[in-house]
Amino acid sequence: MGGEQNLSLVSFVRVKNPDNRTLKEAIKESLDKIEFDFDRKVGKLVIKPNMCYYYHPSTGDVTDPLFVSALIDVLRENFPGNHEILIAEADASAMKCRYSFGILGYDKIADEKGIKLVNLSEEKSRTVEVKINGLDFQFHIPEIFSDSNFVVNVPKIKYMSGSRISCALKNMFGCNAHARKSVYHVALHEAIVVMNKLVRTDLVVVDGLFVVGRSTKQLNLVMASKDPVAVDVAASKMLGINPQRVQQIVSASKEGIGKMDFRPVGDFDYFRKAFPKRTFKDNARAKAASIYLRVLKGE
Amino acid sequence: MLKTLNLGVIGLGQQGKTHLRNCLHLRRGRLWSVADVSKRNVNLAKRMGVKNVYTNYEDLLKDARLDAVIVTLPNYLHHEAAIKAAEAGKDIFLEKPLARNVEEGEEIVASVRKNGVKLMLGYDMRFNPVLRRIQEEIHCGFFGKVQIVDTTNVGSGPFMSRSESGGPTPVPSWWFDKELVGGGALLDLGSHLINLLSWYFGKVIDVKSYLGYIYNMELEDTAICILHFKDGPLATVKVGWFSKHNTQSIHICGTAENLLVRLSPSSTTATIWKDLKRKAGMFQQDPFYLELEYFVECLQKDEPPNPSGEEGLNDLRIISLAYKNMQKLAL
């Protein structure tokens, strides 16, 4: 039991009939379960959702603005003092924040809650040069991620070609101000770990309302932890993937970003069973398609 | 012997590149020139062997050796480009929709008539061999009297993933501007189905529509239109930009026979197979190739091509009526 004390806590809470009230209750419960202490000095609260593309939240691909709205309420009600809250996302190769903020409904939330939407690609950033596998890469880290600010990572749970899974670690990859993120795809796992070293996550609250497995499913899950590696380990187990075979998880753990051993608090087994996992046949088909696309691109 | 026609492609966006590739394989016409504001696209055309390249399409139109142009520009440029091409005496293949609105469409059609050139609209569904066969069967009476037709074209519309050799590329910004695009899913996808149904059943006498806005955009991302044809059935046109996956289908219900045709979704395997076929030069069944081959054939034989400008204008009038008679869905 003494060993368990050192494990990272990951909470699992089911939301019934998600709306602002039930989501707030579930998020608060998930934070209580991981013994999250709000009584601390922080600067701005920076929320980083996953807005990978112009998909509706019901596809499970992007963080639901309703979830973020409830999270804002919880943070406001529990952190002492008045904190400025920001929702931050960077442009991607195919997605532009100036459109996605509006299309996905984040601008409405910003108006309602009186918070600021930040396009990280348009923010001041510092450049960090990192050599990966003999190749030089530049990472552009927005100044908003200074040590004094509190970063809340709000990822989704999904399969992803390249990184195998997308959850807490992959979501922070999106903090890079550089829009053409496809340049990092040759060393994606390593780039994910670098970004997680450069931008530390203070709290992960996973929007598991809709998840992307073999198909999209409304799982109505809220998952929370202070450890992004532990969250990804739990997510990969739900996806039916051995976390030891997810390169960014293993490397991030070695780099001290988090622990691979975690203690689930809540009904982890229910969510693990309920998650729509891919079958062996699905994986083989996805792999064949991925190889074909790589051949097409001449990689 | 019929003359081989010189074709120019104006606009090398997603659709323009498809036409560019298909032009290289035409039996009756040859790709003579291209124009695009992007130097990257122009260089791509050069690498594909196109000798005459321009970054301004007006320069392309000045070339007396050029017979016809394929215009695949954003909707807001159709009016200007089509009229300039007509005035330059070039026959025109114009990607659908004809224009952003009826007024612009009327001016294009008037200019085409005035300058004595030919205009064909790029409605690829009209060249789908299955849909062509249905048209023949309708007119042969295979279905008896057709009472109800249900058509669907749902997908991600302009939000489809786009990629080039350098990786994924963003959705062009004009797609987010109502003023520039002219309409949402109804104009973009509905125009295909409305054109097809008008080809099948003739004149529309009444239109009702419901538009939805699941995304926070000015443009509708969901639309259901009910068309009442003078001599035929009631038909529904259901379109959307909201889905990650494509669904295209047509369901014809007649007194003698019913038929449901699912044109998509296509599986990954089917997509790969289609791609391999295209790479192997097997263009014969590709509607985008067939429509160009037909366009060139019409020009050589001096026959008016279809879908004509007038048909495109008729589609715009129906869509305009649908916008006028619409009810907003609270989605």
Side-chain angles (χ1 to χ4, degrees), chain A residues 131-270:
Chain A
K131 205 179 251 308
I132 302 174
N133 302 337
L135 297 169
D136 291 318
F137 288 92
Q138 287 190 335
F139 292 83
H140 303 272
I141 310 302
E143 287 182 1
I144 209 173
F145 295 115
S146 67
D147 287 342
S148 60
N149 289 342
F150 188 85
V151 178
V152 188
N153 180 351
V154 194
K156 298 296 297 178
I157 310 174
K158 51 191 176 182
Y159 289 105
M160 176 129 298
S161 63
S163 62
R164 300 199 75 185
I165 75 159
S166 174
C167 196
L169 293 170
K170 175 69 168 54
N171 193 35
M172 295 314 279
F173 172 72
C175 294
N176 189 342
H178 186 66
R180 273 204 91 69
K181 295 186 174 59
S182 49
V183 299
Y184 305 98
H185 282 188
V186 287
L188 184 58
H189 306 102
E190 294 86 347
I192 290 171
V193 176
V194 168
M195 276 308 297
N196 278 275
K197 279 175 79 178
L198 295 170
V199 182
R200 286 285 183 160
T201 293
D202 295 298
L203 175 65
V204 186
V205 186
V206 180
D207 165 12
L209 296 181
F210 286 89
V211 295
V212 186
R214 182 171 201 253
S215 57
T216 298
K217 182 169 182 176
Q218 187 165 4
L219 203 58
N220 285 346
L221 161 69
V222 179
M223 196 169 145
S225 180
K226 288 174 263 184
D227 181 343
V229 176
V231 165
D232 273 25
V233 171
S236 70
K237 285 185 174 177
M238 283 197 278
L239 289 155
I241 294 174
N242 179 354
Q244 294 285 355
R245 299 186 68 180
V246 181
Q247 219 175 309
Q248 71 269 21
I249 293 179
V250 177
S251 304
S253 158
K254 282 181 187 161
E255 293 286 344
I257 294 164
K259 296 173 190 164
M260 285 193 69
D261 294 322
F262 72 97
R263 181 154 66 90
V265 192
D267 201 352
F268 176 47
D269 281 343
Y270 163 79

Side-chain angles (χ1 to χ4, degrees), chain B residues 277-310:
Chain B
K277 270 191 359 182
R278 195 170 52 75
K279 280 191 185 330
M282 293 160 72
F283 289 83
Q284 284 72 13
Q285 295 300 309
D286 179 0
F288 290 113
Y289 172 80
L290 292 173
E291 63 181 354
L292 283 188
E293 191 69 47
Y294 163 80
F295 173 62
V296 174
E297 187 184 344
C298 286
L299 300 190
Q300 283 180 329
K301 293 180 178 169
D302 197 23
E303 290 171 357
N306 287 311
S308 64
E310 284 77 6

